[in-house]
Amino acid sequence: MLITLRNILDIAESKNMAIAAFNATSLEGIMAVIEAAEEENTPVILQFANAAHGKYIPLEKIGKVMVMLAEEAKVPVCVHLDHGDNFDEIKTALDIGFSSIMYDGSALSFKENVANTRYARYIADVYGASIEAELGSMGAEGAEGNVMGAYTDPETAKIFVEETDIDALAASFGTVHGIYKSEPKLDFNRIEKIRELTDVPVVMHGGSGISDDDFRKCIDCGVRKINFYTYAAKFAGDAIRKMAAETNGNLYSHDVFVTARESMKETYRDAIRVFRNNKVSL
Ligand code: 13P
């Protein structure tokens, strides 16, 4: 069943948990996400980051499959555009049937970010969809493992949410995308303060490499959506390498795809269990 980000995050809020948001880059990835969520009987967010992954598969193709399989799923699924950076891309995703979009204006000035996010909110409303936006920047990790982006300031976040009326706020509090060079140090007080002042669900980007304990602390502070992808792709790569080493003779691509799907599904099931925050089942 396809539902909006707002509705899926309401479920998260009522249960003090976070909904997993996994990035898909292939049919195998989409199936892994939906099968993991169905086997865990837990809602899930299936997202596509066109800016990062459009070079592997076009939004117009993968998006249609995401929406179709989400509609058929036995659990609530939100289909979301991750890091939308222009209005054409946002409109394309909504035309395909995405129930939610992210507008990422984090590289812009505050004024421009507000103006563009307001317009993205207006577009999303036309389609009855939800919107996530970003303030501060997850950026990249520097040589010493420090986060290079700007942490989100809670007082500014309050004004940003009031001005834009977004459904969820991607905030920077110590996470970065991709593989961490050193142990991440998260600013839990910042999450609490942002939640207290804005009263919108906080989104964590860069979930790969965060400890289970830190995930749970973040959820207790108000994180309701956790973006997670790199580790699933990396572990699937490890599984393919192992499978290939054990293969005598020919290595077939269909076996590679199945191995990747099974591996991603296991990684996603583990993450969903942690993000459910001690609830045995929903
Ligand atoms: P990771 O790939 O680091 O898990 O982060 C995913 C993400 O934040 C997508 O927006």
Side-chain angles (χ1 to χ4, degrees):
M1 184 207 332
L2 180 65
I3 72 168
T4 63
L5 186 68
R6 179 179 277 259
N7 287 342
I8 216 164
L9 294 184
D10 280 348
I11 300 172
E13 189 59 38
S14 69
K15 300 191 184 295
N16 188 38
M17 61 177 279
I19 307 286
F22 300 128
N23 292 74
T25 55
S26 65
L27 174 61
E28 285 69 33
I30 298 172
M31 289 172 74
V33 171
I34 293 183
E35 285 172 11
E38 286 181 337
E39 286 173 25
E40 290 299 324
N41 194 24
T42 302
V44 76
I45 298 162
L46 178 60
Q47 58 186 17
F48 184 64
N50 192 45
H53 299 142
K55 58 179 179 277
Y56 306 124
I57 188 163
L59 168 61
E60 291 80 358
K61 294 271 191 294
I62 194 169
K64 286 181 188 155
V65 183
M66 288 166 72
V67 171
M68 187 182 80
L69 296 186
E71 279 166 347
E72 288 175 2
K74 297 187 193 78
V75 291
V77 180
C78 165
V79 178
H80 176 79
L81 178 71
D82 191 23
H83 291 287
D85 65 1
N86 66 77
F87 301 123
D88 284 345
E89 181 183 287
I90 285 172
K91 280 183 199 145
T92 302
L94 292 168
D95 278 335
I96 291 169
F98 279 41
S99 55
S100 176
I101 52 106
M102 174 185 187
Y103 175 72
D104 181 354
S106 59
L108 305 174
S109 69
F110 179 75
K111 215 171 142 194
E112 283 173 309
N113 192 2
V114 166
N116 287 1
T117 303
R118 281 172 75 125
Y119 185 56
R121 162 88 271 176
Y122 166 78
I123 301 171
D125 278 344
V126 172
Y127 290 83
S130 304
I131 174 170
E132 169 188 338
E134 179 170 333
L135 184 69
S137 171
M138 263 60 83
E141 200 179 358
E144 266 73 60
N146 57 316
V147 177
M148 302 293 281
Y151 278 30
T152 307
D153 171 54
E155 303 285 343
T156 317
K158 179 181 188 307
I159 302 166
F160 185 73
V161 170
E162 281 168 2
E163 295 275 320
T164 56
D165 190 31
I166 50 173
D167 299 302
L169 178 71
S172 178
F173 48 85
T175 60
V176 291
H177 294 108
I179 305 281
Y180 289 88
K181 294 184 183 132
S182 60
E183 201 189 325
K185 300 210 174 8
L186 306 187
D187 186 345
F188 301 105
N189 291 339
R190 189 175 295 266
I191 307 173
E192 257 174 351
K193 193 79 189 156
I194 293 169
R195 245 342 267 266
E196 189 190 309
L197 293 183
T198 65
D199 204 29
V200 289
V202 173
V203 180
M204 175 201 286
H205 283 242
S208 297
I210 302 297
S211 70
D212 291 358
D213 263 3
D214 278 1
F215 276 134
R216 293 192 184 101
K217 278 190 210 154
C218 288
I219 295 167
D220 287 335
C221 291
V223 165
R224 294 287 169 257
K225 172 177 184 271
I226 299 178
N227 287 14
F228 183 100
Y229 173 68
T230 300
Y231 267 25
K234 176 181 147 42
F235 295 159
D238 294 344
I240 291 167
R241 192 185 296 118
K242 183 163 176 284
M243 186 270 266
E246 288 164 359
T247 304
N248 280 325
N250 297 324
L251 173 66
Y252 293 103
S253 57
H254 48 247
D255 292 326
V256 170
F257 300 147
V258 170
T259 301
R261 187 173 102 210
E262 288 301 320
S263 169
M264 284 188 276
K265 185 168 84 177
E266 283 317 306
T267 307
Y268 290 148
R269 285 191 69 167
D270 289 347
I272 287 170
R273 285 190 207 116
V274 175
F275 301 169
R276 226 159 37 202
N277 202 13
N278 298 330
K279 300 203 181 48
V280 177
S281 126
L282 291 179

